[in-house]
């Protein structure tokens, strides 16, 4: 079992056998998904466990309103200051809206952080960053376009099932736009409930034809 607490991640094989990174690349798992090589080199530096007293956590950043690249860059800076140091980031993945119709593509990026915060404190910090960057949460049902969204996909080996905090993210295994960026940086992390790695979950979506969901 490979997880974030002892993540001696087998990145070298993924990088050597993965897509070429000259310019833009296209994900084989998600329709109309592409990303730039930005940040991919950081994967070479994530093969060490989290520092003593810290926990590894994978966050998904996404948005489709405004200057999304600038917003995600600002979110990364704030995360580093208020949540935990960023050890690695995925490539950029551009995807169609999930759960609602919108012509504007989403930019999705996963980051791996080391944090000393407990999950609820981390969630509070991330919600504060979203608000500072202009996120306005709709009171209506369903999903909507947004400037920034920061989700906790996984937090060490933690399993939390509370009304306003669920870890791992309860729908991560259904969402190619979350799994593909996560696979860039933690491909062999094992879901603590489903007991399948990120790459295996992504392959499950591909085989069942659910990658556009």
């Amino acid at each position: 079992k490979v997880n974030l607490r002892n993540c001696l991640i087998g990145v070298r094989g993924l990088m050597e056998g993965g897509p070429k990174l000259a310019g833009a690349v296209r994900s084989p798992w998600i329709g109309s998904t592409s990303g730039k090589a930005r940040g991919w080199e950081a994967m070479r530096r994530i093969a060490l466990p989290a520092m003593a007293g810290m926990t590894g956590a994978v966050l998904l950043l996404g948005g489709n309103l405004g200057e999304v690249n600038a917003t995600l860059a600002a979110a990364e800076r704030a995360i580093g200051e208020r949540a935990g140091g960023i050890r690695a980031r995925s490539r950029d993945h551009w995807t169609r809206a999930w759960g609602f119709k919108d012509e504007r593509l989403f930019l999705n990026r996963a980051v791996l952080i080391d944090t000393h915060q407990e999950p609820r404190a981390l969630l509070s910090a991330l919600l504060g960053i979203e608000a500072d960057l202009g996120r306005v949460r709709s009171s209506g049902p369903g999903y909507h376009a947004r400037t920034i969204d920061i989700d906790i996909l996984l937090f060490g080996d933690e399993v939390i099932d509370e009304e306003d905090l669920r870890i791992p993210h309860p729908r991560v295994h259904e969402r190619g736009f979350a799994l593909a960026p996560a696979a860039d940086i933690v491909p062999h992390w094992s879901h603590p409930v489903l007991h399948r790695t990120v790459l295996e979950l992504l392959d499950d979506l591909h085989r069942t034809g659910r990658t556009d969901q």
Side-chain angles (χ1 to χ4, degrees):
K1 177 181 179 180
V2 181
N3 53 49
L4 285 180
R5 291 190 186 279
N6 60 356
C7 65
L8 297 175
I9 301 173
V11 171
R12 183 179 300 276
L14 180 65
M15 293 183 65
E16 293 175 350
K20 302 303 180 183
L21 299 178
V25 297
R26 179 170 297 277
S27 166
W29 300 291
I30 304 177
S32 300
T33 300
S34 62
K36 297 179 180 178
R38 178 182 182 275
W40 182 271
E41 286 299 313
M43 291 177 62
R44 297 183 183 273
R45 302 190 294 275
I46 66 175
L48 295 176
M51 296 176 61
M54 310 283 273
T55 302
V58 173
L59 312 178
L60 181 69
L61 287 62
N64 73 329
L65 290 180
E67 298 295 329
V68 185
N69 272 297
T71 302
L72 264 62
E76 285 193 26
R77 290 192 295 271
I79 287 169
E81 296 169 356
R82 296 156 59 178
I86 294 177
R87 275 203 288 158
R89 67 172 56 83
S90 73
R91 295 168 293 176
D92 288 345
H93 293 252
W94 292 91
T95 65
R96 292 190 291 268
W98 189 95
F100 69 103
K101 292 183 178 181
D102 196 300
E103 294 182 356
R104 294 162 294 194
L105 294 177
F106 272 81
L107 172 58
N108 299 292
R109 184 186 304 159
V111 296
L112 172 64
I113 70 170
D114 286 334
T115 183
H116 67 274
Q117 297 180 352
E118 294 299 317
R120 186 163 293 282
L122 176 60
L123 175 63
S124 178
L126 299 178
L127 291 175
I129 293 170
E130 287 183 350
D132 290 347
L133 293 176
R135 172 72 184 271
V136 178
R137 293 184 175 273
S138 172
S139 58
Y143 299 101
H144 306 273
R146 45 201 176 272
T147 55
I148 183 69
D149 191 21
I150 309 174
D151 288 329
I152 304 173
L153 297 185
L154 50 110
F155 187 96
D157 294 326
E158 294 282 343
V159 178
I160 300 174
D161 187 7
E162 300 176 1
E163 182 177 356
D164 58 344
L165 178 61
R166 298 181 67 187
I167 295 175
H169 191 285
R171 289 175 293 281
V172 64
H173 61 291
E174 301 173 350
R175 296 179 170 181
F177 68 82
L179 289 171
D184 283 348
I185 54 176
V186 287
H188 299 298
W189 173 78
S190 181
H191 193 291
V193 177
L194 301 177
H195 305 295
R196 293 183 66 74
T197 68
V198 169
L199 279 180
E200 288 172 337
L201 292 172
L202 189 55
D203 187 56
D204 290 343
L205 288 184
H206 177 59
R207 288 187 296 100
T208 57
R210 298 167 56 200
T211 51
D212 288 338
Q213 295 186 7

